[in-house]
Amino acid sequence: NKKTLIFILLFLLILPACWSLFKPGFFVSDDGEWMVIRLSDFHRSFVSGQIPVRWAARLNYSYGYPVFNFLYPLSLYGGEIFRILGFSFVNSIKLVFIFSFFLSGFLMYLFGAALWGKWGGLVAAIFYVYAPYRFLDVYVRGSLGEALGFVFIPLIFLSLFRLHQKISNRWLAMGALALAALIMSHNIMALLFMPIVLIYAGLLVWTSRQKRSLAVSYLSFFLLGLGLSCFFWLPAFYDKQFIVLD
């Protein structure tokens, strides 16, 4: 059917964006190599039963340090899934980058399609995937957390929009999970993005016929998102007093 054809077309259009990641070896970047190293230590801690993973025992000249308490962990949990499935550390990191392109594109398509129809969603997805900053993030900076964070931004917007159309527990839960995932993907990105989310939510409440009910749903949305991710950000805030950042 037409929907399946659009998804196939979208897949083929996104593929060139991450084609270089299918080549053997790892590319030179600012932080990408560090993510491979950190995943190797993350894996050692994870398989030894340290869940959630907080301490990098082998790094910092074997003295260890609590990098996973502060380094937005979701991308490493994603890499760990691929590692457990048998992929190398290098390929596990590359697969997280690859999936970040495809998932962000497909989710932006769903949000765009909800607003402007199928072809509008397709155009929105292509612009989202091929935005120059996305390529800088992946191929120059090697920022795994930010790359993964782009997956959840359209899902947050889509959840807010669907709740505006009809209040439902399904979209409330979906939005809360997406917000929690964004915070765990890249906490700084989530902090910068939050004012935009709040402005969009405020505009939707303003135009709604059920202002009070929608406002309560959105408040639950945000509180649940913060609550689901508090195992990460709460210890990070508390433990900040015990570390030296300079």
Side-chain angles (χ1 to χ4, degrees):
N1 57 32
K2 187 182 288 187
K3 191 172 183 180
T4 302
L5 289 174
I6 287 179
F7 276 125
I8 293 171
L9 177 60
L10 183 58
F11 176 86
L12 293 174
L13 289 170
I14 293 173
L15 190 59
C18 55
W19 186 253
S20 296
L21 294 168
F22 288 96
K23 296 178 181 178
F26 202 77
F27 56 97
V28 177
S29 63
D30 296 338
D31 297 326
E33 295 91 336
W34 268 111
M35 299 311 298
V36 176
I37 293 166
R38 284 169 174 165
L39 179 60
S40 70
D41 202 86
F42 187 94
H43 174 72
R44 287 163 63 95
S45 297
F46 186 85
V47 297
S48 68
Q50 186 189 142
I51 302 172
V53 179
R54 299 197 183 279
W55 187 261
R58 186 171 54 91
L59 302 185
N60 191 28
Y61 303 98
S62 296
Y63 287 104
Y65 72 133
V67 61
F68 303 126
N69 224 29
F70 303 93
L71 181 79
Y72 22 89
L74 190 61
S75 57
L76 292 171
Y77 282 106
E80 181 62 20
I81 291 172
F82 293 119
R83 176 58 185 163
I84 289 173
L85 290 173
F87 293 94
S88 68
F89 291 115
V90 166
N91 287 335
S92 295
I93 293 297
K94 289 167 73 176
L95 280 165
V96 175
F97 278 125
I98 290 167
F99 271 82
S100 75
F101 276 116
F102 283 106
L103 290 176
S104 65
F106 279 99
L107 288 170
M108 181 53 83
Y109 165 78
L110 293 177
F111 178 51
L115 294 175
W116 306 300
K118 292 182 175 63
W119 294 110
L122 187 66
V123 171
I126 296 306
F127 271 90
Y128 191 58
V129 169
Y130 283 91
Y133 184 76
R134 298 290 302 276
F135 290 89
L136 175 74
D137 237 7
V138 174
Y139 293 111
V140 178
R141 295 182 59 226
S143 180
L144 191 67
E146 276 194 41
L148 188 62
F150 279 105
V151 171
F152 305 105
I153 290 172
L155 184 54
I156 291 170
F157 274 124
L158 179 61
S159 300
L160 290 170
F161 180 73
R162 291 302 188 193
L163 283 169
H164 176 259
Q165 289 182 313
K166 182 182 179 181
I167 295 172
S168 72
N169 290 333
R170 174 191 172 191
W171 284 107
L172 196 155
M174 190 74 72
L177 286 168
L179 180 59
L182 176 62
I183 293 169
M184 290 186 288
S185 296
H186 199 276
N187 43 336
I188 303 300
M189 188 176 179
L191 189 64
L192 294 172
F193 176 64
M194 197 57 65
I196 301 171
V197 176
L198 293 174
I199 290 169
Y200 184 63
L203 289 172
L204 291 178
V205 170
W206 181 262
T207 58
S208 174
R209 294 180 179 177
Q210 307 176 66
K211 288 182 173 59
R212 181 174 295 180
S213 298
L214 187 61
V216 170
S217 294
Y218 284 168
L219 180 61
S220 302
F221 176 123
F222 292 119
L223 291 177
L224 279 171
L226 289 171
L228 287 167
S229 57
C230 74
F231 79 93
F232 162 60
W233 59 261
L234 195 58
F237 269 118
Y238 179 78
D239 291 345
K240 188 179 177 182
Q241 62 186 307
F242 302 119
I243 65 168
V244 177
L245 292 172
D246 292 339

